[in-house]
Amino acid sequence: MLYFVLMSVAGFASIERKIDTSAVNILLKRSVALQRTNLDSCYLLANEALTHSLRLNYPKGIQSAYTRMGSVLMTKGFNDSSMFYLVQAAFISEKEKDYTSLAGNKMLISYVYQYKGVKDSVYYFLNQAIGYSELANNTTLRIQCMGSL
């Protein structure tokens, strides 16, 4: 009887986690959809996704939320705050060996340095982005990175 109860609890916990990560993914998709039209709502949804992802220990959600928040802050001109989130996202991407996301984060970091006028860092991070896009075998991203050089 105890075995059945424990298996039921374990099964329920895994179902609950799937529902929560799905909800995080929906929040992030909505955030992306709003990035061009409503930066504040985009940021708020990403922040909510980050809160849930941290509670769930969901690295992909954490990384995506940090990327979105950093991108919004970069668009608004808050380069230092943007850099904080983008570096966090890159760290998680590297830890998870998600080279496509890592290349995208490195490219966004290069854009922040471009806005700050630090050309050496722009080229450094774009070259890193190209390298990671090659590791990810993502030709489209590699071409985008090379076009930014």
Side-chain angles (χ1 to χ4, degrees), residues 9 12 23 30-31 37 47 54 57 66 72 84 86 90-91 105 119 122 134-135 139-140 142 145-148:
V9 170
F12 179 74
R30 287 182 183 166
S31 177
T37 58
N47 193 26
L54 288 169
N57 194 25
Y66 278 149
V72 167
F84 170 80
L86 294 173
F91 177 77
N105 287 316
K119 290 184 181 181
V122 172
E134 289 173 0
L135 278 175
T139 306
T140 304
R142 185 170 47 240
C145 293
M146 290 176 155
S148 296

Side-chain angles (χ1 to χ4, degrees), residues 97-104 128-145:
K97 297 184 182 349
D98 181 356
Y99 298 122
T100 298
S101 295
L102 184 55
Q128 281 192 332
I130 291 167
Y132 287 118
S133 65
E134 289 173 0
L135 278 175
N137 199 24
N138 189 325
T139 306
T140 304
L141 185 57
R142 185 170 47 240
I143 291 169
Q144 189 178 6
C145 293

